[in-house]
Structure formats: C-alpha cells, structure tokens
Amino acid sequence: MKISYSWLKEYINIDLSPEKASEYLTDTGLEVEGLEQIDTIKGGLRGVVIGEVLSCKQHPNADRLKVTEVNIGSAEPVQIVCGAPNVGAGQKVLVATVGTEIYTEDGSFTIKKSKLRGETSEGMICAEDELGLGSGHDGIMILESSAEVGRAAAEHFGIESDYVIEIGLTPNRTDAMSHYGVARDLRAALLRFGASNIDLNLPSVSSYQEQNLDRPISVNIENTEACYRYMGISLSGVKVGESPAWMQNRLRAIGLNPVNTIVDIGNYVLHETGHPMHAFDADKIAGGSIVIKNAEPGQKFTTLDGSELELSDKDLMIWDAEKPLVLAGVYGGLNSGVSSETTNIFLEVAYFDPVHIRKSAKRHGLNTDSSFRYERGVDPAMTEYALKRAVTLIQELAGGEVSMALADEHPIKLGNHEVTMNLDRMKTLIGADIATEEVRSILASLDIRIKAEAGRNLHLEVPAYRQDVTREADIVEEVLRIYGFNAIPYDGPMRIAVASKDPSDDAIERELISSLLSAKGYHEMMNNSLTKSAYYEKHGFNSEVSVAMLNPLSQDLGVLRQSMLFGGLEALEYNSKRQRPNLKFYEFGRVYKQAENAYGESEKLSLWLSGLSEEENWRDGARPSSFYEIKNALTLCFDRLGMGPAQESATSDPIFSEGLHWHRGPKTIAQLGMVSKSILKEFDLKVPVYYAELNWSELVKAGRKKQIAMEDLPRFPEVRRDLALLVDSSILYADLEKAALRSGGKILKAVNLFDVYEGKNLPAGKKSYALSFTFAHAEKTLNDKEIEKLMAKILANLEKQCGASLR
C-alpha cells in the first residue's frame, strides 16, 4: 500500500524526516518496504534559481550566441553563454546552476562549467520546456519583474516534492488501510517515545447541510445479512470537470490516475479514511429508488470497463427499480457511472459483510480498491463521516446542492467489543515487565479504553475498527508493538532443545539429490501449489478429482495441482520469452487429488529439460538436450539413493508423446518423456521439453531398504562378449537386458547397449541392437568354454522371449 508523506502530514502535526517516520512505522508493525522521492515536475527544479540579466553582449566568436552576466543572488554575478534570441539585459530568468540535473525525453544531463567558443559559461538560462514547465521553446522563459532574485524556482512556482512510503500491509491490519489509519499508528509510536502535543486531525465536515429536498431517492435493504448499513445522498447542479492540481498530485503519488472531480473525490476519501464509496448518475436511477438485494442466477452484468459478468444468485447487487447498477462493494456498472455530462449524482457509502464481498470478488476474478477494503472489514464508525466528507469536497470543487434528507438504513449495528487482559499474563507472554502506567498510556494511544480494573485484570473496550483485536493475546501484541520489540531486554544466550529426528524426515535424501542435480547444471525452483483448473480439464487429466478452492484468489489459482508439469512449463515460457531458452529445472513438491470422501497428497520430485544441453562451443557446436540426458539424471538419482532394480516399460500417460515408466510391483517409481506438442503449444514453447516425475516418497522408502555391503576388489579378470541382434522395432532395450540378466546368473555382471541402427539394409519393422556382456567369477578365471555356454543360453532366451536373432 502506498502512502504519500505530505498527505499523511495533513492528519498529524509532525516535523519528522520521511526516513525517521518510516522507522517508527516499521517498528509498530507497518513494515515499510520502500521509500521513494517524487516530484510533480521531474527533478523538482532542484538547482534552478531566479536570476537577473545584468548585461548582454554579442559573443565575439559566434553570431548566434550572447555572453551575459547574471545575478543569481550569490556574492558575484556569473557569466553564462546563451543562444536564445530573446535574452536581454534587465530580464528576470530561470538559471540552472552548475551541478543541476536537466531532464529531457531522452534522459538527463548535468550542467557543468565549460567554455563555448572560448567564453566561460557557468550555468544555463532555461526555456520552459527544458524545465518541464511548458512546451514552448521559442526562447528563454522570462518572469515577471517582481520575481525575487536568488529564490529557488521550486519555491517560486510552488513545485511540490513528496515521498511515497510503500507499506507491506498484513491482512489483519484493516485499521491501517488509509492515510488517517497510518497517522493513528504513527502518533501512538511517537507518544510512546516521548513526543508531546501530537494530535490527529480529520478535516471538519461541519459545513454539511441539506439545501433542498428536490431529488429524493429511497433506500431499501432486502439482504440484511450482507448489508449492515447503507447511506446515501443526492446532489443536484454538480459540474463535473478536472480536479485541482493538489488533488491530482496526491492521487498520482499513490499510483492512481485522475479521472474527474467526482471520481477523484471518491478515491481521495477512500485513501483518506479507508472507506470506499460509489457515485451514481442520479438521472439513470430508475424509479428514484435503490434496493440492495442479490442478483438473479445467470443474469448478465456489464461493468464500467465493458467486461460482461454472468452473475450468481449469491452476488449482492445494488439495484434501482428495474436493473442492477453495481456489484456491491466490488465494481460499478457501465450504465450508472458519472460522466462529463452528469449534473445530478447519488453518493453511497455502506458497510457490507466482508465474506459476501470476498466471495463475489473471487467468483468473478476481480480485485479493486473497494473490494480490497470491504472484504477485510472497514471502520463502521467512519461511514457517516466519509459520506459527509465527500459531499463537502464535491460542493467545494464541483458545486451543487444537497437535494434530499440523508438516507440511512442500518439493520445491523456493529459496536466496540470487550476484552479482559491480565497484567501478569502479559508479562509471561512478553518475557518482560512493562510498567502499568506505560501500559495504560499505550492502550489510550490506541483508542483502547479501560472500562474497569479488578486487581491485575484490565477490562477493555476495543474500537470497532480493530476487528483483529479480539483476544487477550491480541491486546498483549498491541502493547508490545507500540512499546517496541527492540525495547525488550536480552538477558543472555538463547537455549533451544534439539528435537529428535522424525523418521519421515527426508532432509538428508533431499540434500543428496539437490547437490547431485545442481552439480549437473539443474536449478531448483519452487512453484505455487495453486494453479489453473483449465490445465486439468484437458490433456488426459480427470478434472473431477481436482481439489478446488472455496474462495480462490483468482481464476489462475483455483485448484491445487494434480501434476507439477504445468508450473514448470510456465517457468520455461517466462524464461524463454526473455531470451533464456536453455533451461534445466528441478522441484520438490506435493500434488493433490480428492477421492470420494477424502483428500490425498503425495511428494514428488520433478525435472524439466529444454534447449541446448550446454552453451554453444567450438568443440561440440550447439548440441540440443535429449531424452537420454534427462534419463541419465533420473538414473543417477536412483543410484545416489541406492534404489534397487525397477521394472521399466513404455508410458501411456497422454502428457508425453513418448516416454518411459518405472515401477516396483503396483507402485509407480518414476516416469519421464517428451512433453506432447499440444501442451507445448499452449505455452508457446517451440522446442522439445523433456519432463521427469519421480514418486519421491516411494523412492526414499525404496532407497532406505538398500543395505550397503563391502567386498574386495575382483582378483580374477572380467570377460566381455558382444552380440549384434536383429529385433522388432517395438522391442525395448530394457526387455533384452532383463532377459539376459535372468539367463546369465551371478556370473553376468553387466549388460550394456552400445549401438542402435535402423534403416538401410534391414527388413521393414526391424532394428539392430549391439549389446555387450561382462562376465566375472569371484573365485576363478573363466575359460572360453564356460563363456560360450553362457552366451548360447543367453541368446536362446533372447530368441525365445524377445524374438531376437543374430545379424
């Protein structure tokens, strides 16, 4: 949330630097994440002063230049070379002194002492466009003769310099969603640290009055569970135009674009008080009545920005006698808003049930300044003030007369709430003893009233705007944050008991695999578990088992992920569009599904590979990533964790155009493959992407069962034999390896594929595999007869089980 510091000081009489004020705010829990100086004119005219041209002579070496002497209020006049045709003695001008930064459309430059055609120049006499004061460039800007020499130009023109404080507002601090709310917290902190005579000031609304009753508009609340209070007033004879510069500057400072007087006043009061409001064109309210009730199911509604929504019967709407005008607390309708032709308006300020507003906003994927505040809860006591404040501003800036009695429907009244706090309990929670008088002072500065005291118990009345302070622990936290966390004494070393290791803790295995993959060039990432439901409505997933959010933050975060694939593809898309196409990612995370009466989640390790295997170089050129590269990474993970053999087969998962699947019995260990082109097209990825998903829990479990055994180095030599086999194209190497290992017994130590051939000189539907077989015996040297007997047995089994034949 952005706060204008000059605006903030309208409500609290302080003379602190913005940096110091930011420190106080951070200490009270309103963490300042950024502080930025801004100017209504870029550069703020810093270094620019008013000067008087004392003399003006022709430059001896240039026809179009003049040499001037200018009094800028310093001890001695300065000499400035000027090329403007209208410069002359006796003029009051704007002078950029040496060191001044001048900003242009192309950047900026600094004024330096220099020589122009042999004459010294110590500054620049400026035109209005060079300073951002206008667009004219026919010559220098000449001021009125009464302008004070040496006065800063910023002061002369009333140029404002402001600081914008960026606050990382936590969801519970609804009381600080405005400039006044922040000022309230700042005052409490200053009083705690010794300041005095620090007052809060809300602008007076005493001038509010009803001039006539010419445009009455009735108000009726039908859904009293969703709308606790609704106030409205009509004004006639309003002139809609541009807001004054001071209001536009303040709105721009916090990131809002000015629209017109009525809209800008609504935004101004919103950020002043924290209370949203809406302005209607009163002439568009049919029947002269406002009704607050729910929408009809399936009803269409067009918002101010032209978007069409399909409403639910759970959406609270503001209706006139015929049609819905506003999605309550969220967004105005297209045909009810204020335009430049509007002369009669109806202003609403309301208190809506936060849950209803949040559900409507999330249902339609909307997030507005109004919904941000309403769904967290605004100050119910500020409702009437906010309306009257807006009315007085409108009459001041746009004219008009109040033309009805104030409408105020208030079916549910929210008051202050009570909490009891024990001072001894507070000491236990804080770990330090705070003087009782200090506690009383802090509570008073926070508008928390002590109703009664009974021994060490304080019976407190908490203002309604502090909806997050409902328990004794909340009161203790309020006292502590104003007292200061840094003020709590540190009384020695911290002692922490080391907890026993949970058997399910896989931190060691994670560290092993993270180190392995990072060494292979993979980068770890972490994606949000919430994702788009649309991903699982296609691509072979069952969308019915997706775990849906009841109140999703947006349409893009509607369900928990069934697969980690799509989060990685989003990361690949983001990087590739920023000229980072060669990518290796891995992520540990969970995936989620729902069964009939339960929810399930499982741990996964996923890998993504795309682009070049390594950066282009003179030796290897540009070598693209491949299926076998990611398979190598996967098998290294298997080996590093000590997982025993698993069955390998082709995967049938539709997310892959081709791939492999590993399992041990019915349990899947891993699968990998090339992601299908239909999925890649959705992410605008034009190069192959390889993806592996490992069942992390099963992998860790299998690895922990492996017993490490030590043995001597072999004393007898190994023997190798090779076979070139002709097999059907559908036969996998894994099938041949499995059949060979079964036939070779303990003496066959390894099988390896070292060549694959398909094409010319082979029958159709056939391919050639070249395999090597390594034999060794622990107690003797194998002879040729024994080896040939084993090779014959292996070949016979390969022919029988896989249809293989010798080439």
Side-chain angles (χ1 to χ4, degrees):
M1 184 182 73
K2 291 183 177 180
I3 294 292
S4 160
Y5 190 53
S6 65
W7 190 354
L8 180 71
K9 291 195 291 184
E10 292 285 324
Y11 313 109
I12 181 170
N13 56 323
I14 57 173
D15 189 22
L16 293 174
S17 70
E19 291 81 8
K20 191 64 179 176
S22 297
E23 288 180 22
Y24 279 121
L25 290 173
T26 297
D27 287 344
T28 64
L30 298 180
E31 184 177 357
V32 174
E33 297 178 338
L35 180 65
E36 179 186 3
Q37 184 175 5
I38 61 170
D39 304 293
T40 53
I41 290 179
K42 193 171 178 65
L45 298 185
R46 284 181 287 276
V48 181
V49 298
I50 297 173
E52 181 179 9
V53 181
L54 301 178
S55 66
C56 179
K57 300 177 182 178
Q58 184 65 43
H59 194 294
N61 303 315
D63 294 339
R64 296 187 179 182
L65 298 179
K66 292 187 174 76
V67 180
T68 66
E69 273 199 337
V70 184
N71 176 14
I72 60 171
S74 57
E76 298 290 335
V78 295
Q79 179 172 293
I80 298 176
V81 177
C82 180
N86 64 332
V87 65
Q91 295 171 341
K92 297 290 181 67
V93 295
L94 294 174
V95 178
T97 57
V98 173
T100 300
E101 193 85 3
I102 299 294
Y103 294 87
T104 68
E105 292 182 358
D106 300 323
S108 66
F109 62 91
T110 303
I111 301 297
K112 299 177 182 178
K113 182 178 179 179
S114 59
K115 281 196 173 185
L116 297 175
R117 296 290 185 93
E119 294 293 327
T120 301
S121 184
E122 298 180 86
M124 183 172 84
I125 304 176
C126 301
E128 63 179 39
D129 68 326
E130 292 169 329
L131 297 175
L133 292 169
S135 57
H137 194 70
D138 297 333
I140 60 170
M141 187 174 184
I142 301 173
L143 306 179
E144 64 276 9
S145 59
S146 60
E148 181 185 343
V149 173
R151 188 183 187 191
E155 184 181 342
H156 177 81
F157 288 102
I159 302 302
E160 292 185 2
S161 181
D162 195 4
Y163 285 84
V164 173
I165 301 172
E166 183 83 34
I167 294 176
L169 196 66
T170 52
N172 64 307
R173 292 302 307 276
T174 59
D175 61 299
M177 294 189 298
S178 66
H179 283 71
Y180 183 73
V182 172
R184 193 164 44 201
D185 243 31
L186 182 56
R187 174 180 177 270
L190 291 172
L191 291 175
R192 154 71 179 101
F193 290 103
S196 58
N197 300 320
I198 303 294
D199 298 319
L200 285 174
N201 309 297
L202 267 178
S204 172
V205 294
S206 59
S207 63
Y208 171 86
Q209 61 178 349
E210 295 154 9
Q211 279 86 24
N212 59 66
L213 303 176
D214 295 343
R215 300 194 67 87
I217 294 177
S218 64
V219 172
N220 178 33
I221 302 175
E222 291 191 8
N223 186 346
T224 56
E225 292 182 358
C227 182
Y228 296 0
R229 187 178 190 182
Y230 191 97
M231 301 185 72
I233 198 77
S234 66
L235 292 94
S236 58
V238 171
K239 184 177 180 180
V240 179
E242 282 193 2
S243 302
W246 64 266
M247 181 174 283
Q248 292 193 33
N249 290 338
R250 286 186 173 175
L251 293 177
R252 287 194 183 100
I254 60 172
L256 297 179
N257 292 321
V259 180
N260 60 49
T261 42
I262 307 304
V263 174
D264 293 351
I265 287 169
N267 284 329
Y268 187 86
V269 175
L270 165 67
H271 288 275
E272 178 179 64
T273 66
H275 218 302
M277 61 182 56
H278 186 74
F280 301 81
D281 187 325
D283 295 328
K284 297 178 181 178
I285 299 176
S289 65
I290 290 291
V291 181
I292 299 92
K293 63 179 182 178
N294 283 23
E296 297 172 0
Q299 187 171 19
K300 304 296 183 183
F301 178 72
T302 305
T303 60
L304 280 170
D305 65 354
S307 300
E308 186 176 80
L309 306 180
E310 183 174 331
L311 300 176
S312 160
D313 59 358
K314 297 178 181 178
D315 289 325
L316 184 68
M317 305 296 292
I318 310 300
W319 293 69
D320 63 13
E322 300 173 355
K323 60 189 179 297
L325 303 176
V326 173
L327 180 58
V330 182
Y331 220 145
L334 182 64
N335 297 318
S336 65
V338 173
S339 67
S340 58
E341 286 77 35
T342 299
T343 57
N344 303 307
I345 65 171
F346 177 77
L347 274 182
E348 72 159 31
V349 180
Y351 188 97
F352 299 113
D353 173 51
V355 175
H356 277 81
I357 302 305
R358 178 174 176 79
K359 286 185 176 181
S360 280
K362 303 314 172 190
R363 187 178 297 119
H364 299 292
L366 298 172
N367 183 23
T368 63
D369 278 345
S370 290
S371 67
F372 177 82
R373 286 161 175 80
Y374 274 132
E375 67 190 31
R376 288 162 173 79
V378 296
D379 181 1
M382 189 66 80
T383 308
E384 184 173 347
Y385 173 84
L387 180 61
K388 291 182 176 179
R389 170 67 167 150
V391 170
T392 56
L393 280 172
I394 289 171
Q395 291 186 308
E396 177 186 339
L397 303 179
E401 294 183 338
V402 176
S403 299
M404 64 176 280
L406 182 66
D408 185 6
E409 293 296 312
H410 201 173
I412 297 178
K413 293 179 172 59
L414 296 177
N416 299 339
H417 46 280
E418 296 184 7
V419 180
T420 298
M421 181 186 72
N422 180 272
L423 294 171
D424 294 328
R425 175 66 176 162
M426 181 184 72
K427 178 181 176 181
T428 301
L429 290 174
I430 292 176
D433 193 8
I434 301 176
T436 304
E437 283 306 312
E438 185 74 56
V439 173
R440 289 194 179 96
S441 175
I442 290 173
L443 291 173
S445 71
L446 293 170
D447 295 338
I448 299 175
R449 186 169 72 89
I450 300 176
K451 293 189 68 177
E453 295 188 41
R456 299 285 286 172
N457 290 326
L458 301 181
H459 300 290
L460 307 171
E461 184 180 31
V462 181
Y465 66 78
R466 289 311 307 268
Q467 299 180 31
D468 60 318
V469 180
T470 58
R471 306 168 302 163
E472 180 184 46
D474 298 329
I475 297 288
V476 173
E477 181 185 1
E478 289 299 295
V479 172
L480 180 56
R481 72 180 182 84
I482 300 301
Y483 183 77
F485 292 95
N486 295 332
I488 302 300
Y490 173 69
D491 58 359
M494 295 180 68
R495 294 178 175 85
I496 301 173
V498 179
S500 58
K501 188 173 183 293
D502 186 339
S504 65
D505 185 7
D506 59 359
I508 294 175
E509 287 87 356
R510 283 181 185 249
E511 183 62 29
L512 285 173
I513 297 304
S514 292
S515 298
L516 170 67
L517 293 174
S518 296
K520 294 285 290 181
Y522 286 80
H523 298 277
E524 185 172 10
M525 66 175 175
M526 183 181 295
N527 281 305
N528 197 335
S529 295
L530 294 170
T531 186
K532 297 179 183 179
S533 59
Y535 290 150
Y536 306 104
E537 293 167 1
K538 46 191 172 181
H539 309 310
F541 290 91
N542 180 4
S543 60
E544 293 182 359
V545 302
S546 291
V547 180
M549 297 294 100
L550 293 176
N551 297 309
L553 293 172
S554 71
Q555 298 293 334
D556 290 346
L557 302 172
V559 299
L560 288 167
R561 62 190 177 191
Q562 289 189 43
S563 168
M564 293 165 66
L565 170 65
F566 301 107
L569 292 179
E570 288 175 354
L572 292 176
E573 178 188 22
Y574 183 88
N575 280 271
S576 63
K577 286 182 176 178
R578 286 156 181 81
Q579 299 181 332
R580 296 291 183 272
N582 306 324
L583 302 165
K584 296 180 179 181
F585 292 145
Y586 72 95
E587 179 184 6
F588 293 96
R590 294 182 180 184
V591 297
Y592 308 84
K593 291 182 181 180
Q594 63 174 329
E596 187 173 341
N597 295 312
Y599 295 100
E601 58 184 76
S602 54
E603 294 278 353
K604 302 289 184 181
L605 166 62
S606 293
L607 286 73
W608 295 261
L609 179 65
S610 182
L612 299 180
S613 177
E614 56 185 50
E615 293 298 328
E616 186 177 6
N617 60 75
W618 64 270
R619 186 185 64 182
D620 299 321
R623 182 164 59 88
S625 300
S626 69
F627 174 89
Y628 297 102
E629 185 176 350
I630 196 169
K631 182 183 177 184
N632 174 255
L634 185 142
T635 53
L636 285 174
C637 292
F638 288 171
D639 294 344
R640 188 68 184 88
L641 291 175
M643 192 192 79
Q647 296 172 306
E648 178 183 323
S649 60
T651 182
S652 59
D653 196 315
I655 66 172
F656 298 118
S657 57
E658 56 182 1
L660 294 175
H661 175 266
W662 282 264
H663 60 96
R664 304 182 83 177
K667 293 182 178 178
T668 296
I669 299 296
Q671 62 177 353
L672 69 82
M674 179 187 292
V675 179
S676 74
K677 290 183 179 179
S678 63
I679 295 178
L680 297 184
K681 185 178 180 181
E682 189 172 331
F683 293 87
D684 198 25
L685 294 168
K686 298 179 174 59
V687 296
V689 174
Y690 303 96
Y691 174 66
E693 185 174 272
L694 293 78
N695 188 332
W696 178 250
S697 301
E698 290 299 325
L699 187 59
V700 170
K701 195 183 299 181
R704 287 179 178 177
K705 291 179 180 178
K706 175 103 175 181
Q707 298 295 320
I708 299 175
M710 306 296 293
E711 62 180 27
D712 292 333
L713 289 171
R715 292 183 296 155
F716 301 97
E718 294 179 342
V719 179
R720 169 173 165 160
R721 292 288 187 271
D722 296 342
L723 290 179
L725 301 172
L726 191 66
V727 297
D728 291 339
S729 296
S730 61
I731 296 297
L732 300 176
Y733 161 67
D735 300 328
L736 299 173
E737 181 186 35
K738 184 164 62 175
L741 289 172
R742 284 177 178 173
S743 306
K746 295 181 179 180
I747 295 177
L748 179 59
K749 299 299 182 182
V751 181
N752 182 50
L753 173 67
F754 64 88
D755 188 44
V756 179
Y757 177 74
E758 289 183 90
K760 191 177 179 181
N761 299 326
L762 290 183
K766 296 288 186 179
K767 61 183 175 183
S768 172
Y769 279 149
L771 306 182
S772 67
F773 304 85
T774 302
F775 301 92
H777 199 289
E779 298 177 356
K780 66 176 183 177
T781 299
L782 295 170
N783 56 46
D784 288 343
K785 186 176 180 180
E786 292 172 312
I787 298 299
E788 294 307 323
K789 183 178 179 181
L790 281 171
M791 287 299 297
K793 181 180 177 183
I794 290 171
L795 181 57
N797 278 336
L798 290 175
E799 289 175 349
K800 181 179 179 181
Q801 296 179 27
C802 303
S805 60
L806 283 174
R807 280 190 68 188

